[in-house]
Amino acid sequence: MDLISDKELVLSVITEIELLSFPLLTDENKEQIRNLLNECIVLDLDQEIKELTIDFRKKYRIKLPDSIIAASAYTSKAPLLTGDKEFRKIEELNLLIYEF
């Protein structure tokens, strides 16, 4: 994917969990995902992310995992690359919508 090939990738811990928890992943898929994750910065929940998660969840009425992902992207000052158009309602984010 040329869009991200020369970028430092930052992921929420929620994204890491989501990627690795798909029920039909093969061992090869898991290995590929882990290799990708090893190239990324994975953000754990800190106080700033927790507080912003609460704010986003209240303001935009989004699911908890999505609000954590949004808060992680915002606090890291990284654009959020997503295929989920629901993130468009969060006006504070710099979004890159991936359509497949």
Side-chain angles (χ1 to χ4, degrees):
M1 182 185 296
D2 291 336
L3 182 63
I4 61 172
S5 63
D6 63 339
K7 307 287 189 287
E8 182 174 69
L9 300 179
V10 180
L11 301 175
S12 165
V13 67
I14 297 299
T15 303
E16 176 184 32
I17 292 167
E18 288 178 338
L19 287 171
L20 291 169
S21 64
F22 286 110
L24 299 178
L25 285 180
T26 65
D27 288 340
E28 183 180 340
N29 295 144
K30 287 179 198 171
E31 183 179 339
Q32 291 170 336
I33 291 168
R34 289 193 190 281
N35 289 338
L36 171 67
L37 292 171
N38 287 334
E39 299 297 317
C40 300
I41 297 169
V42 178
L43 297 177
D44 287 319
L45 296 177
D46 63 17
Q47 192 60 36
E48 182 181 13
I49 292 173
K50 286 189 253 182
E51 289 175 13
L52 192 55
T53 294
I54 293 165
D55 293 343
F56 282 165
R57 187 147 194 238
K58 285 180 176 180
K59 183 175 181 180
Y60 298 106
R61 300 185 182 271
I62 57 177
K63 294 179 276 184
L64 181 60
D66 288 348
S67 58
I68 294 170
I69 291 167
S72 298
Y74 183 81
T75 60
S76 71
K77 298 178 179 29
L80 177 58
L81 175 63
T82 182
D84 187 343
K85 294 177 184 172
E86 282 293 307
F87 284 100
R88 286 185 176 159
K89 65 172 100 173
I90 305 173
E91 54 199 39
E92 293 88 347
L93 293 179
N94 176 8
L95 281 182
L96 300 171
I97 300 291
Y98 180 74
E99 305 213 14
F100 39 123

